[in-house]
Amino acid sequence: MPRPGRNTYSDQKPPYSYISLTAMAIQSCPEKMLPLSEIYKFIMDRFPYYRENTQRWQNSLRHNLSFNDCFIKIPRRPDQPGKGSFWALHPNCGDMFENGSFLRRRKRFKVLGAEHLAPSKPPDAAHYLQQHAKLRLSALAATGAHLPQVPGYNLGVTQPATFKHPFAIENIIAREYKVPGGLAFSAVPPMAAGYPLHNQLAGAWPHVYNGGVIDAMGGADYGAYGVPIKSLCHGPQTLPAIPVPIKATPAALAPHLPAFLSNSPQSLSPTSPQTATSQSSPATPSDALTNPASLQSVAVH
DNA sequence: AGTTGTTTAAATGCTT
DNA sequence: AAGCATTTAAACAACT
């Protein structure tokens, strides 16, 4: 748990846009979808800055959820009582922060085509995620795995370690350039900028380096909903140290990234079979659902 | 009544 | 400077 009231750099505004914060929250949960209230909670738990002015930033965040096509709304099933819908990332949104900055995307993600023209039809992506979650749950039940129960929607299903969405919190952390000595350099450029850089960057990023994100996820060992962090993320010690240029160009970046960092639908060659990067166990039937063909999307502008 | 979700509009700041 | 992404504010509807 974060330390309440601690007056540190962690009280400063984190260098993440609402979009990246929301994506982080969504990716932190095994089912990759969260209700609004849980997104709020995630952000407030991890970033003390957002424990204040809640009306302001939560309104902004809601605006972002509605306004940006990279977020999709997933209706609750009857067996998932509660307020509001779930929010998830559009399966095709890929790595929106491929430029290395979580403050500003290079391009906005925009959905094209049928989804906009026929909104009355439930979005395939939403259906896919629901089905995906369901199938993974039944697969899990079959294995007899014991995982913590989370009311309503999140049953603690863990992701296979082979795929990490670019927004997964561990991937975001992984982009920080770690130096053996403990000094850390950020892959996030200028805005690090807005931070007091006279001191060590590690000090400027306490929410990341000083037990921030990892520590705050329920105290180093447990992440959201009591799921052990290590089952969700690579531990900090196993995070790849990836030197990312301060001003990264996609062309310069992509070839050097480990597969799991560039492993997004959009980063694949168009001819690559999607099943190769399925988020679910390759042995599960949910693979058939991982790439809804009707989902057409593109980054625009 | 409070929360959730959508939409419009304007301001701000970064990128090209 | 223009274009664009993001932030902020606000109004409003729907829902619990």
Side-chain angles (χ1 to χ4, degrees):
Chain A
M1 284 294 286
R3 299 140 183 94
R6 205 168 49 136
N7 189 15
T8 66
Y9 287 127
S10 60
D11 291 337
Q12 296 204 356
K13 185 169 186 168
Y16 306 114
S17 65
Y18 292 121
I19 293 176
S20 49
L21 287 170
T22 306
M24 254 187 252
I26 291 170
Q27 283 298 316
S28 78
C29 118
E31 289 309 328
K32 310 305 173 199
M33 55 187 208
L34 282 178
L36 184 63
S37 58
E38 293 296 321
I39 297 174
Y40 292 159
K41 194 138 72 77
F42 175 95
I43 294 172
M44 286 192 286
D45 280 354
R46 277 124 190 109
F47 304 101
Y49 174 86
Y50 290 109
R51 289 171 199 164
E52 289 169 8
N53 302 312
T54 53
Q55 201 152 22
R56 183 194 301 174
W57 71 261
Q58 290 180 352
N59 184 21
S60 298
L61 192 138
R62 287 195 306 275
H63 162 81
N64 273 278
L65 283 171
S66 290
F67 183 73
N68 291 291
D69 288 346
C70 58
F71 299 114
I72 55 176
K73 210 172 60 172
I74 301 174
R76 286 177 189 266
R77 294 196 313 259
D79 58 316
Q80 298 170 314
K83 254 189 179 176
S85 306
F86 295 99
W87 289 95
L89 287 165
H90 194 292
N92 287 5
C93 69
D95 187 354
M96 296 186 294
F97 298 91
E98 60 185 353
N99 61 346
S101 170
F102 295 101
L103 271 170
R104 188 185 170 93
R105 293 172 296 178
R106 212 164 48 85
K107 292 179 193 307
R108 263 184 65 206
F109 172 78
K110 208 73 191 148
V111 172
L112 301 175
E115 273 174 284
H116 270 334
L117 302 176
S120 56
K121 198 177 156 192
D124 290 341
H127 183 242
Y128 138 77
L129 269 162
Q130 284 279 14
Q131 291 298 317
H132 192 166
K134 205 154 93 182
L135 285 162
R136 284 167 57 206
L137 279 178
S138 36
L140 182 80
T143 69
H146 175 265
L147 285 162
Q149 281 280 338
V150 175
Y153 52 94
N154 181 342
L155 296 174
V157 181
T158 56
Q159 284 284 97
T162 49
F163 177 86
K164 301 291 182 193
H165 191 281
F167 292 159
I169 196 162
E170 61 270 33
N171 279 351
I172 291 172
I173 297 164
R175 297 188 198 200
E176 315 304 332
Y177 180 23
K178 285 197 163 186
V179 169
L183 246 188
F185 294 89
S186 170
V188 181
M191 184 59 220
Y195 271 58
L197 289 176
H198 62 276
N199 208 341
Q200 286 85 348
L201 284 169
W205 287 64
H207 51 283
V208 171
Y209 300 115
N210 289 345
V213 169
I214 293 290
D215 178 48
M217 287 176 88
D221 290 331
Y222 289 89
Y225 318 117
V227 177
I229 289 269
K230 280 166 188 129
S231 73
L232 297 175
C233 328
H234 307 292
Q237 69 280 13
T238 62
L239 287 172
I242 305 157
V244 180
I246 288 300
K247 187 126 182 174
T249 64
L253 253 179
H256 307 307
L257 289 176
F260 81 92
L261 269 181
S262 55
N263 193 358
S264 66
Q266 288 193 330
S267 68
L268 296 171
S269 102
T271 55
S272 301
Q274 177 66 23
T275 50
T277 60
S278 166
Q279 294 192 35
S280 60
S281 156
T284 69
S286 59
D287 280 327
L289 299 164
T290 54
N291 190 19
S294 59
L295 284 175
Q296 295 194 341
S297 50
V298 70
V300 298
H301 289 128

